[in-house]
Amino acid sequence: MSNNSISKLQASEINELNRQMEARLNSLDNQDTLRAAMRYSVMAGGKRIRPLIVFATCASFQTPISEAVFAVAGSLEFIHTYSLIHDDLPEMDNDELRRGKPTNHKVYGQAMAVLAGDALLTEAFEWLTEAGISPVDNLKLVHKLAKAAGPKGMVDGQSRDILGEKQQLTLEQLKVLHAGKTGALITYAFEAGGILAGVSDQHQALLREFGLLFGLAFQIYDDILDVTSTQEKMGKAVHKDSLEHKNTYPALLGLNEAKRSLEHTLSQAGNVLKQLNDLGVQTELFDELLGYFKI
Ligand code: GRG
């Protein structure tokens, strides 16, 4: 049995990560407003689910949370935060509230919000390459992160989302969109943890499979919450998807079928965990992560 738990990781490692991200941003020797804009969105809060996945994966393979692990988790959170800043821009999703606060461009203006996003994206790679990770693993991590964030991953998904607004996508098209927009960074979080822990190819393939399913579940859940939750709970506008005729699971399948689809995805993810468990991996933390999805 592992003596770790997600709440322990949140209390210790996520707090330390927040400290390190803030210190890193504060110590940037750049233009004051740019630094403030970067810091504003990173430190506005957020669930830190992607870093938590990195920590949980390392801990599941008994890998200590070292400076390298913090660099992987922090760089990933910087890239995720950049994507939120750009997603909120008027030319994209046009949102006024994010992480319970006014969006970056509402505070700093559109030009500075674009630059703050650009700067977090590039600063992420600087951090990732400074943490003393072995050159082979560092190359793997940089390559996978660029692939997940860029035109084969998140940016591709975002493009499909924006262009898809004018048409009704099929379920298959929606899955491809989600796998890029939301799934790619989440899958990277599991794979990056696997690289840091030096797991076998067999373990790595299962981590990837679990990541893809977790990412899909994350997006279906977010779509469901957009229908069922409140602005106060979410820290961002809700009910926007249906008002703007977005392609979502509830829009395509109806709320009940979307919930069934989430359950099915979670049960598939559970099967992957069973395979990892059969290989001797302690899967309690992954099981606990699945508890995030409460419907
Ligand atoms: C601008 C290139 C580019 C990409 C944007 C992240 C993203 C891609 C769009 C956000 C749109 C959205 C609401 C997606 C649903 C799932 C998702 C990624 C939610 C936000 O992530 P959380 O819930 O946010 O982890 P916090 O604030 O908790 O970090």
PDB file of all heavy atoms in Angstrom, residues 4 17 24 40 51 53 55 71 94 126 134 147 174 180 200 207 213 218 251 268 278 283:
ATOM      1  N   ASN A   4       0.870   7.437   0.390  1.00  0.00           N
ATOM      2  CA  ASN A   4       0.580   8.742  -0.174  1.00  0.00           C
ATOM      3  C   ASN A   4      -0.912   8.873  -0.480  1.00  0.00           C
ATOM      4  O   ASN A   4      -1.618   7.877  -0.552  1.00  0.00           O
ATOM      5  CB  ASN A   4       1.363   8.901  -1.476  1.00  0.00           C
ATOM      6  CG  ASN A   4       2.187  10.162  -1.455  1.00  0.00           C
ATOM      7  OD1 ASN A   4       1.748  11.160  -0.907  1.00  0.00           O
ATOM      8  ND2 ASN A   4       3.361  10.107  -2.042  1.00  0.00           N
ATOM      9  N   LEU A  17       4.959  23.694  -5.399  1.00  0.00           N
ATOM     10  CA  LEU A  17       4.972  24.085  -6.815  1.00  0.00           C
ATOM     11  C   LEU A  17       4.505  25.540  -6.965  1.00  0.00           C
ATOM     12  O   LEU A  17       5.107  26.331  -7.709  1.00  0.00           O
ATOM     13  CB  LEU A  17       4.069  23.166  -7.653  1.00  0.00           C
ATOM     14  CG  LEU A  17       3.983  23.576  -9.124  1.00  0.00           C
ATOM     15  CD1 LEU A  17       5.283  23.259  -9.859  1.00  0.00           C
ATOM     16  CD2 LEU A  17       2.811  22.904  -9.832  1.00  0.00           C
ATOM     17  N   ARG A  24       9.771  31.907  -9.484  1.00  0.00           N
ATOM     18  CA  ARG A  24      10.367  31.964 -10.826  1.00  0.00           C
ATOM     19  C   ARG A  24       9.846  33.193 -11.603  1.00  0.00           C
ATOM     20  O   ARG A  24      10.608  33.903 -12.247  1.00  0.00           O
ATOM     21  CB  ARG A  24      10.011  30.675 -11.576  1.00  0.00           C
ATOM     22  CG  ARG A  24      10.747  30.549 -12.867  1.00  0.00           C
ATOM     23  CD  ARG A  24      10.752  29.186 -13.486  1.00  0.00           C
ATOM     24  NE  ARG A  24      11.528  29.293 -14.717  1.00  0.00           N
ATOM     25  CZ  ARG A  24      12.786  28.931 -14.849  1.00  0.00           C
ATOM     26  NH1 ARG A  24      13.426  28.382 -13.872  1.00  0.00           N
ATOM     27  NH2 ARG A  24      13.419  29.124 -15.999  1.00  0.00           N
ATOM     28  N   TYR A  40      -0.135  37.142 -12.872  1.00  0.00           N
ATOM     29  CA  TYR A  40      -1.558  37.278 -12.556  1.00  0.00           C
ATOM     30  C   TYR A  40      -2.323  35.987 -12.867  1.00  0.00           C
ATOM     31  O   TYR A  40      -3.050  35.462 -12.029  1.00  0.00           O
ATOM     32  CB  TYR A  40      -2.142  38.458 -13.350  1.00  0.00           C
ATOM     33  CG  TYR A  40      -3.637  38.609 -13.223  1.00  0.00           C
ATOM     34  CD1 TYR A  40      -4.198  39.184 -12.083  1.00  0.00           C
ATOM     35  CD2 TYR A  40      -4.497  38.172 -14.232  1.00  0.00           C
ATOM     36  CE1 TYR A  40      -5.571  39.319 -11.958  1.00  0.00           C
ATOM     37  CE2 TYR A  40      -5.867  38.298 -14.122  1.00  0.00           C
ATOM     38  CZ  TYR A  40      -6.403  38.875 -12.983  1.00  0.00           C
ATOM     39  OH  TYR A  40      -7.766  39.002 -12.855  1.00  0.00           O
ATOM     40  N   PRO A  51      -0.199  19.256 -13.013  1.00  0.00           N
ATOM     41  CA  PRO A  51       0.919  18.969 -12.108  1.00  0.00           C
ATOM     42  C   PRO A  51       0.632  17.816 -11.152  1.00  0.00           C
ATOM     43  O   PRO A  51       1.492  16.979 -10.902  1.00  0.00           O
ATOM     44  CB  PRO A  51       1.100  20.285 -11.329  1.00  0.00           C
ATOM     45  CG  PRO A  51       0.548  21.331 -12.213  1.00  0.00           C
ATOM     46  CD  PRO A  51      -0.568  20.688 -12.981  1.00  0.00           C
ATOM     47  N   ILE A  53      -1.149  15.259 -11.670  1.00  0.00           N
ATOM     48  CA  ILE A  53      -0.982  13.991 -12.397  1.00  0.00           C
ATOM     49  C   ILE A  53       0.505  13.627 -12.479  1.00  0.00           C
ATOM     50  O   ILE A  53       0.886  12.467 -12.283  1.00  0.00           O
ATOM     51  CB  ILE A  53      -1.594  14.099 -13.823  1.00  0.00           C
ATOM     52  CG1 ILE A  53      -3.113  14.197 -13.737  1.00  0.00           C
ATOM     53  CG2 ILE A  53      -1.168  12.921 -14.687  1.00  0.00           C
ATOM     54  CD1 ILE A  53      -3.805  14.524 -15.062  1.00  0.00           C
ATOM     55  N   PHE A  55       2.883  14.504 -10.379  1.00  0.00           N
ATOM     56  CA  PHE A  55       3.308  14.084  -9.039  1.00  0.00           C
ATOM     57  C   PHE A  55       2.774  12.687  -8.713  1.00  0.00           C
ATOM     58  O   PHE A  55       3.497  11.838  -8.183  1.00  0.00           O
ATOM     59  CB  PHE A  55       2.817  15.076  -7.962  1.00  0.00           C
ATOM     60  CG  PHE A  55       3.407  16.464  -8.087  1.00  0.00           C
ATOM     61  CD1 PHE A  55       2.639  17.595  -7.804  1.00  0.00           C
ATOM     62  CD2 PHE A  55       4.723  16.650  -8.476  1.00  0.00           C
ATOM     63  CE1 PHE A  55       3.177  18.873  -7.914  1.00  0.00           C
ATOM     64  CE2 PHE A  55       5.277  17.920  -8.582  1.00  0.00           C
ATOM     65  CZ  PHE A  55       4.495  19.035  -8.311  1.00  0.00           C
ATOM     66  N   ALA A  71      10.071  20.971 -12.180  1.00  0.00           N
ATOM     67  CA  ALA A  71      10.250  21.685 -13.459  1.00  0.00           C
ATOM     68  C   ALA A  71       9.283  21.151 -14.512  1.00  0.00           C
ATOM     69  O   ALA A  71       8.711  21.916 -15.302  1.00  0.00           O
ATOM     70  CB  ALA A  71      11.696  21.539 -13.935  1.00  0.00           C
ATOM     71  N   ASN A  94     -13.734  34.697 -25.990  1.00  0.00           N
ATOM     72  CA  ASN A  94     -14.273  35.965 -25.482  1.00  0.00           C
ATOM     73  C   ASN A  94     -14.860  35.848 -24.078  1.00  0.00           C
ATOM     74  O   ASN A  94     -16.043  36.074 -23.872  1.00  0.00           O
ATOM     75  CB  ASN A  94     -15.323  36.512 -26.465  1.00  0.00           C
ATOM     76  CG  ASN A  94     -15.641  37.970 -26.185  1.00  0.00           C
ATOM     77  OD1 ASN A  94     -14.881  38.659 -25.504  1.00  0.00           O
ATOM     78  ND2 ASN A  94     -16.764  38.434 -26.698  1.00  0.00           N
ATOM     79  N   GLU A 126      12.236  26.934 -21.171  1.00  0.00           N
ATOM     80  CA  GLU A 126      13.475  27.317 -20.490  1.00  0.00           C
ATOM     81  C   GLU A 126      13.575  26.575 -19.142  1.00  0.00           C
ATOM     82  O   GLU A 126      14.606  25.987 -18.824  1.00  0.00           O
ATOM     83  CB  GLU A 126      13.510  28.838 -20.286  1.00  0.00           C
ATOM     84  CG  GLU A 126      14.885  29.315 -19.864  1.00  0.00           C
ATOM     85  CD  GLU A 126      14.981  30.843 -19.789  1.00  0.00           C
ATOM     86  OE1 GLU A 126      14.217  31.547 -20.475  1.00  0.00           O
ATOM     87  OE2 GLU A 126      15.827  31.313 -19.017  1.00  0.00           O
ATOM     88  N   SER A 134      18.495  14.274 -17.244  1.00  0.00           N
ATOM     89  CA  SER A 134      19.501  13.704 -18.151  1.00  0.00           C
ATOM     90  C   SER A 134      19.170  14.128 -19.589  1.00  0.00           C
ATOM     91  O   SER A 134      17.991  14.261 -19.947  1.00  0.00           O
ATOM     92  CB  SER A 134      19.518  12.187 -18.051  1.00  0.00           C
ATOM     93  OG  SER A 134      18.420  11.662 -18.777  1.00  0.00           O
ATOM     94  N   LYS A 147       5.039  18.555 -28.899  1.00  0.00           N
ATOM     95  CA  LYS A 147       4.050  17.856 -29.732  1.00  0.00           C
ATOM     96  C   LYS A 147       2.642  17.973 -29.125  1.00  0.00           C
ATOM     97  O   LYS A 147       1.658  18.192 -29.826  1.00  0.00           O
ATOM     98  CB  LYS A 147       4.462  16.384 -29.826  1.00  0.00           C
ATOM     99  CG  LYS A 147       3.906  15.689 -31.025  1.00  0.00           C
ATOM    100  CD  LYS A 147       4.609  14.363 -31.216  1.00  0.00           C
ATOM    101  CE  LYS A 147       3.758  13.464 -32.087  1.00  0.00           C
ATOM    102  NZ  LYS A 147       4.335  12.134 -32.246  1.00  0.00           N
ATOM    103  N   LEU A 174     -15.642  15.030 -32.789  1.00  0.00           N
ATOM    104  CA  LEU A 174     -15.576  15.671 -31.471  1.00  0.00           C
ATOM    105  C   LEU A 174     -14.481  15.020 -30.617  1.00  0.00           C
ATOM    106  O   LEU A 174     -13.741  15.709 -29.898  1.00  0.00           O
ATOM    107  CB  LEU A 174     -16.935  15.536 -30.775  1.00  0.00           C
ATOM    108  CG  LEU A 174     -17.133  16.357 -29.501  1.00  0.00           C
ATOM    109  CD1 LEU A 174     -16.966  17.836 -29.764  1.00  0.00           C
ATOM    110  CD2 LEU A 174     -18.510  16.085 -28.899  1.00  0.00           C
ATOM    111  N   GLY A 180      -7.071  16.561 -28.856  1.00  0.00           N
ATOM    112  CA  GLY A 180      -6.063  17.601 -29.035  1.00  0.00           C
ATOM    113  C   GLY A 180      -6.208  18.704 -28.006  1.00  0.00           C
ATOM    114  O   GLY A 180      -5.293  18.968 -27.218  1.00  0.00           O
ATOM    115  N   SER A 200       9.102   1.077 -17.772  1.00  0.00           N
ATOM    116  CA  SER A 200       9.307   0.250 -18.969  1.00  0.00           C
ATOM    117  C   SER A 200       8.381   0.710 -20.102  1.00  0.00           C
ATOM    118  O   SER A 200       7.401   1.420 -19.862  1.00  0.00           O
ATOM    119  CB  SER A 200       8.983  -1.213 -18.647  1.00  0.00           C
ATOM    120  OG  SER A 200       7.576  -1.339 -18.467  1.00  0.00           O
ATOM    121  N   LEU A 207       0.290   3.870 -19.403  1.00  0.00           N
ATOM    122  CA  LEU A 207       0.107   5.236 -18.868  1.00  0.00           C
ATOM    123  C   LEU A 207      -0.496   6.135 -19.942  1.00  0.00           C
ATOM    124  O   LEU A 207      -1.375   6.955 -19.681  1.00  0.00           O
ATOM    125  CB  LEU A 207       1.450   5.821 -18.406  1.00  0.00           C
ATOM    126  CG  LEU A 207       1.989   5.355 -17.061  1.00  0.00           C
ATOM    127  CD1 LEU A 207       3.353   5.982 -16.796  1.00  0.00           C
ATOM    128  CD2 LEU A 207       1.010   5.717 -15.930  1.00  0.00           C
ATOM    129  N   LEU A 213      -7.702   8.323 -21.954  1.00  0.00           N
ATOM    130  CA  LEU A 213      -9.057   8.140 -21.410  1.00  0.00           C
ATOM    131  C   LEU A 213      -9.357   9.195 -20.340  1.00  0.00           C
ATOM    132  O   LEU A 213     -10.455   9.747 -20.286  1.00  0.00           O
ATOM    133  CB  LEU A 213      -9.193   6.727 -20.822  1.00  0.00           C
ATOM    134  CG  LEU A 213      -9.199   5.614 -21.882  1.00  0.00           C
ATOM    135  CD1 LEU A 213      -8.944   4.255 -21.241  1.00  0.00           C
ATOM    136  CD2 LEU A 213     -10.525   5.607 -22.647  1.00  0.00           C
ATOM    137  N   PHE A 218     -12.095  14.079 -18.745  1.00  0.00           N
ATOM    138  CA  PHE A 218     -11.974  15.447 -18.231  1.00  0.00           C
ATOM    139  C   PHE A 218     -12.808  16.411 -19.080  1.00  0.00           C
ATOM    140  O   PHE A 218     -13.508  17.283 -18.574  1.00  0.00           O
ATOM    141  CB  PHE A 218     -10.499  15.859 -18.255  1.00  0.00           C
ATOM    142  CG  PHE A 218     -10.211  17.115 -17.493  1.00  0.00           C
ATOM    143  CD1 PHE A 218     -10.004  17.076 -16.120  1.00  0.00           C
ATOM    144  CD2 PHE A 218     -10.132  18.342 -18.134  1.00  0.00           C
ATOM    145  CE1 PHE A 218      -9.739  18.242 -15.411  1.00  0.00           C
ATOM    146  CE2 PHE A 218      -9.866  19.503 -17.430  1.00  0.00           C
ATOM    147  CZ  PHE A 218      -9.660  19.447 -16.069  1.00  0.00           C
ATOM    148  N   ALA A 251     -24.479  18.562 -26.025  1.00  0.00           N
ATOM    149  CA  ALA A 251     -25.178  19.100 -27.203  1.00  0.00           C
ATOM    150  C   ALA A 251     -25.402  18.003 -28.235  1.00  0.00           C
ATOM    151  O   ALA A 251     -26.454  17.938 -28.870  1.00  0.00           O
ATOM    152  CB  ALA A 251     -24.370  20.250 -27.807  1.00  0.00           C
ATOM    153  N   GLN A 268     -13.493   2.233 -18.785  1.00  0.00           N
ATOM    154  CA  GLN A 268     -12.347   1.829 -19.622  1.00  0.00           C
ATOM    155  C   GLN A 268     -11.026   2.193 -18.927  1.00  0.00           C
ATOM    156  O   GLN A 268     -10.060   1.416 -18.934  1.00  0.00           O
ATOM    157  CB  GLN A 268     -12.406   2.524 -20.978  1.00  0.00           C
ATOM    158  CG  GLN A 268     -13.490   1.990 -21.901  1.00  0.00           C
ATOM    159  CD  GLN A 268     -13.476   2.755 -23.218  1.00  0.00           C
ATOM    160  OE1 GLN A 268     -13.648   3.983 -23.231  1.00  0.00           O
ATOM    161  NE2 GLN A 268     -13.268   2.056 -24.302  1.00  0.00           N
ATOM    162  N   ASP A 278      -1.970  -5.365 -12.283  1.00  0.00           N
ATOM    163  CA  ASP A 278      -1.519  -6.743 -12.515  1.00  0.00           C
ATOM    164  C   ASP A 278      -0.010  -6.801 -12.766  1.00  0.00           C
ATOM    165  O   ASP A 278       0.622  -7.827 -12.560  1.00  0.00           O
ATOM    166  CB  ASP A 278      -2.252  -7.366 -13.714  1.00  0.00           C
ATOM    167  CG  ASP A 278      -3.712  -7.661 -13.386  1.00  0.00           C
ATOM    168  OD1 ASP A 278      -4.057  -7.647 -12.187  1.00  0.00           O
ATOM    169  OD2 ASP A 278      -4.504  -7.869 -14.327  1.00  0.00           O
ATOM    170  N   THR A 283      -1.704   1.447  -7.827  1.00  0.00           N
ATOM    171  CA  THR A 283      -2.581   2.327  -8.619  1.00  0.00           C
ATOM    172  C   THR A 283      -3.543   3.151  -7.760  1.00  0.00           C
ATOM    173  O   THR A 283      -4.440   3.791  -8.292  1.00  0.00           O
ATOM    174  CB  THR A 283      -3.387   1.491  -9.635  1.00  0.00           C
ATOM    175  OG1 THR A 283      -4.038   0.429  -8.926  1.00  0.00           O
ATOM    176  CG2 THR A 283      -2.494   0.918 -10.718  1.00  0.00           C
TER     177      THR A 283
END
